[in-house]
Amino acid sequence: MSPHTTSSPQLLDVMSPERTHWIELPAHRSNIRIARHSMQARLAAWRLPCEMSADTVLLVSELATNAVCHTPGMRVLCGIGFVADNCLRVEVHDHGCPGSTLPPCEAGPEDENGRGLFLVQEIAHAWGVDRSRLTGGNAVWATLIRSA
């Protein structure tokens, strides 16, 4: 499975702190929960619909888990923000080698892992990988469109 190749504006281009939220954490599995809780608190403050908030938190969790498990970096940077009034973007930046491949989605029916990018593909409006302007590694992003 490959990410979408559609162009999407970088979250970093959104300058308003009221419309973005970032958290940087050591790249440890135990910190994925902290990233989820931090994003969930911001989404609640933004009063987003419950379904969109749940989907956003799931995307942050899956992308941050991939960054922690599949890159050699010591820190992970997670961000969410509005790139339009109805479009929320999730980004997870790692310090790994730019252009490194994403883990394959080849999980068998009994496997406990390996479905994260499948979930991202199914939930996100679009997603992809760019070089991170912040870390020099990868920035994996996904967008969600708010229903009217």
Side-chain angles (χ1 to χ4, degrees):
M1 160 186 353
S2 62
H4 292 262
T5 57
T6 57
S7 177
S8 184
Q10 294 293 314
L11 178 59
L12 305 174
D13 293 339
V14 179
M15 299 305 287
S16 173
E18 300 87 35
R19 295 176 56 94
T20 61
H21 177 66
W22 289 95
I23 185 168
E24 184 173 15
L25 298 164
H28 299 285
R29 285 179 185 237
S30 60
N31 288 330
I32 303 303
R33 184 173 64 94
I34 295 169
R36 280 195 311 266
H37 287 271
S38 175
M39 298 302 167
Q40 193 168 31
R42 179 54 58 109
L43 293 163
W46 286 340
R47 296 187 173 125
L48 289 180
C50 290
E51 184 177 332
M52 186 175 194
S53 293
D55 287 348
T56 302
V57 170
L58 179 59
L59 290 175
V60 167
S61 182
E62 293 301 331
L63 296 179
T65 298
N66 278 346
V68 167
C69 293
H70 299 289
T71 63
M74 299 298 289
R75 299 192 69 74
V76 174
L77 178 64
C78 303
I80 56 173
F82 288 98
V83 293
D85 286 340
N86 69 335
C87 183
L88 187 71
R89 182 175 168 108
V90 173
E91 287 190 17
V92 174
H93 297 248
D94 63 45
H95 292 269
C97 301
S100 60
T101 60
L102 294 171
C105 182
E106 299 173 358
E110 301 299 319
D111 292 337
E112 293 183 14
N113 299 310
R115 294 175 185 81
L117 292 179
F118 174 76
L119 290 172
V120 171
Q121 179 178 334
E122 292 301 308
I123 293 170
H125 173 72
W127 72 285
V129 182
D130 293 314
R131 183 174 181 151
S132 173
R133 293 182 285 173
L134 295 175
T135 66
N138 293 309
V140 183
W141 58 266
T143 57
L144 292 164
I145 304 297
R146 181 173 22 190
S147 302

Short mmCIF file of all heavy atoms in Angstrom, two decimals, residues 8 59 63 79 81 87-92 120 123-128 140-144:
data_model
loop_
_atom_site.label_atom_id
_atom_site.label_comp_id
_atom_site.label_asym_id
_atom_site.label_seq_id
_atom_site.Cartn_x
_atom_site.Cartn_y
_atom_site.Cartn_z
N SER A 8 -0.54 18.47 -0.54
CA SER A 8 -1.32 19.02 0.55
C SER A 8 -0.47 20.05 1.27
O SER A 8 0.72 19.82 1.47
CB SER A 8 -1.75 17.90 1.50
OG SER A 8 -2.58 18.40 2.51
N LEU A 59 -5.42 8.48 14.23
CA LEU A 59 -4.37 8.75 13.24
C LEU A 59 -3.07 9.16 13.93
O LEU A 59 -1.99 8.67 13.56
CB LEU A 59 -4.81 9.84 12.27
CG LEU A 59 -5.90 9.46 11.28
CD1 LEU A 59 -6.32 10.68 10.46
CD2 LEU A 59 -5.46 8.33 10.37
N LEU A 63 0.32 6.89 13.48
CA LEU A 63 1.50 7.48 12.85
C LEU A 63 2.65 7.63 13.84
O LEU A 63 3.81 7.38 13.50
CB LEU A 63 1.15 8.83 12.22
CG LEU A 63 0.15 8.77 11.06
CD1 LEU A 63 -0.13 10.17 10.54
CD2 LEU A 63 0.62 7.84 9.96
N GLY A 79 1.84 16.83 15.42
CA GLY A 79 1.10 18.07 15.29
C GLY A 79 -0.26 17.85 14.65
O GLY A 79 -0.45 16.92 13.86
N GLY A 81 -3.60 20.48 13.10
CA GLY A 81 -3.98 21.86 12.83
C GLY A 81 -4.93 21.95 11.66
O GLY A 81 -5.00 21.04 10.83
N CYS A 87 -10.86 21.33 7.11
CA CYS A 87 -9.82 20.32 6.88
C CYS A 87 -8.78 20.35 8.00
O CYS A 87 -8.10 21.35 8.20
CB CYS A 87 -9.14 20.55 5.53
SG CYS A 87 -7.91 19.31 5.12
N LEU A 88 -8.68 19.24 8.71
CA LEU A 88 -7.71 19.08 9.78
C LEU A 88 -6.57 18.21 9.29
O LEU A 88 -6.80 17.20 8.61
CB LEU A 88 -8.39 18.42 10.99
CG LEU A 88 -7.56 18.33 12.26
CD1 LEU A 88 -7.38 19.72 12.87
CD2 LEU A 88 -8.24 17.41 13.25
N ARG A 89 -5.36 18.60 9.60
CA ARG A 89 -4.18 17.84 9.18
C ARG A 89 -3.45 17.32 10.41
O ARG A 89 -3.30 18.02 11.41
CB ARG A 89 -3.27 18.74 8.36
CG ARG A 89 -2.04 18.03 7.83
CD ARG A 89 -1.27 19.00 6.94
NE ARG A 89 0.02 18.50 6.61
CZ ARG A 89 0.37 18.05 5.40
NH1 ARG A 89 -0.50 18.03 4.44
NH2 ARG A 89 1.59 17.63 5.18
N VAL A 90 -3.02 16.08 10.32
CA VAL A 90 -2.21 15.42 11.34
C VAL A 90 -0.82 15.23 10.75
O VAL A 90 -0.70 14.83 9.58
CB VAL A 90 -2.81 14.04 11.71
CG1 VAL A 90 -1.89 13.29 12.64
CG2 VAL A 90 -4.20 14.19 12.28
N GLU A 91 0.22 15.53 11.50
CA GLU A 91 1.58 15.27 11.05
C GLU A 91 2.37 14.63 12.19
O GLU A 91 2.23 15.03 13.34
CB GLU A 91 2.31 16.56 10.65
CG GLU A 91 1.84 17.15 9.35
CD GLU A 91 2.73 18.28 8.88
OE1 GLU A 91 3.89 18.42 9.36
OE2 GLU A 91 2.27 19.03 8.02
N VAL A 92 3.22 13.67 11.83
CA VAL A 92 4.17 13.10 12.77
C VAL A 92 5.53 13.14 12.10
O VAL A 92 5.71 12.60 11.01
CB VAL A 92 3.78 11.67 13.19
CG1 VAL A 92 4.87 11.06 14.06
CG2 VAL A 92 2.45 11.67 13.93
N VAL A 120 -4.92 4.14 8.56
CA VAL A 120 -4.69 5.51 8.09
C VAL A 120 -5.33 5.70 6.71
O VAL A 120 -6.04 6.67 6.47
CB VAL A 120 -3.19 5.85 8.06
CG1 VAL A 120 -2.94 7.19 7.38
CG2 VAL A 120 -2.62 5.85 9.48
N ILE A 123 -9.21 5.78 7.00
CA ILE A 123 -9.81 6.89 7.75
C ILE A 123 -9.54 8.24 7.11
O ILE A 123 -10.42 9.10 7.05
CB ILE A 123 -9.29 6.88 9.20
CG1 ILE A 123 -9.81 5.64 9.92
CG2 ILE A 123 -9.71 8.15 9.95
CD1 ILE A 123 -9.18 5.42 11.28
N ALA A 124 -8.33 8.45 6.64
CA ALA A 124 -7.91 9.77 6.14
C ALA A 124 -8.52 10.08 4.78
O ALA A 124 -8.75 9.19 3.96
CB ALA A 124 -6.39 9.83 6.05
N HIS A 125 -8.75 11.35 4.56
CA HIS A 125 -9.16 11.83 3.23
C HIS A 125 -7.99 11.66 2.26
O HIS A 125 -8.17 11.24 1.13
CB HIS A 125 -9.60 13.29 3.32
CG HIS A 125 -9.88 13.92 2.01
ND1 HIS A 125 -11.00 13.61 1.27
CD2 HIS A 125 -9.19 14.83 1.29
CE1 HIS A 125 -10.98 14.30 0.15
NE2 HIS A 125 -9.89 15.04 0.14
N ALA A 126 -6.79 12.00 2.74
CA ALA A 126 -5.56 11.83 1.97
C ALA A 126 -4.43 11.68 2.98
O ALA A 126 -4.55 12.08 4.13
CB ALA A 126 -5.30 13.05 1.08
N TRP A 127 -3.32 11.07 2.54
CA TRP A 127 -2.17 10.95 3.40
C TRP A 127 -0.93 10.78 2.55
O TRP A 127 -1.01 10.49 1.35
CB TRP A 127 -2.32 9.81 4.41
CG TRP A 127 -2.22 8.42 3.84
CD1 TRP A 127 -3.15 7.76 3.09
CD2 TRP A 127 -1.12 7.53 3.98
NE1 TRP A 127 -2.70 6.52 2.77
CE2 TRP A 127 -1.45 6.35 3.30
CE3 TRP A 127 0.11 7.62 4.62
CZ2 TRP A 127 -0.59 5.25 3.23
CZ3 TRP A 127 0.97 6.53 4.56
CH2 TRP A 127 0.61 5.37 3.87
N GLY A 128 0.23 11.00 3.16
CA GLY A 128 1.47 10.87 2.41
C GLY A 128 2.68 11.07 3.31
O GLY A 128 2.57 11.20 4.52
N VAL A 140 5.12 12.24 8.13
CA VAL A 140 3.98 11.49 7.61
C VAL A 140 2.74 12.28 8.01
O VAL A 140 2.58 12.67 9.15
CB VAL A 140 3.93 10.06 8.18
CG1 VAL A 140 2.78 9.28 7.56
CG2 VAL A 140 5.25 9.34 7.94
N TRP A 141 1.89 12.56 7.02
CA TRP A 141 0.73 13.41 7.25
C TRP A 141 -0.54 12.72 6.79
O TRP A 141 -0.51 11.80 5.97
CB TRP A 141 0.90 14.75 6.52
CG TRP A 141 1.10 14.60 5.05
CD1 TRP A 141 2.29 14.53 4.38
CD2 TRP A 141 0.08 14.49 4.04
NE1 TRP A 141 2.07 14.36 3.04
CE2 TRP A 141 0.72 14.35 2.80
CE3 TRP A 141 -1.30 14.50 4.08
CZ2 TRP A 141 0.03 14.22 1.59
CZ3 TRP A 141 -2.00 14.36 2.89
CH2 TRP A 141 -1.33 14.22 1.66
N ALA A 142 -1.65 13.19 7.34
CA ALA A 142 -2.97 12.72 6.94
C ALA A 142 -3.94 13.87 7.13
O ALA A 142 -3.77 14.70 8.03
CB ALA A 142 -3.40 11.52 7.78
N THR A 143 -4.94 13.94 6.27
CA THR A 143 -5.96 14.98 6.39
C THR A 143 -7.33 14.35 6.63
O THR A 143 -7.61 13.25 6.15
CB THR A 143 -6.03 15.88 5.15
OG1 THR A 143 -6.27 15.09 3.99
CG2 THR A 143 -4.76 16.69 4.98
N LEU A 144 -8.14 15.07 7.38
CA LEU A 144 -9.53 14.69 7.64
C LEU A 144 -10.41 15.87 7.26
O LEU A 144 -10.06 17.02 7.55
CB LEU A 144 -9.73 14.37 9.12
CG LEU A 144 -9.04 13.12 9.64
CD1 LEU A 144 -9.02 13.15 11.16
CD2 LEU A 144 -9.76 11.89 9.16
#
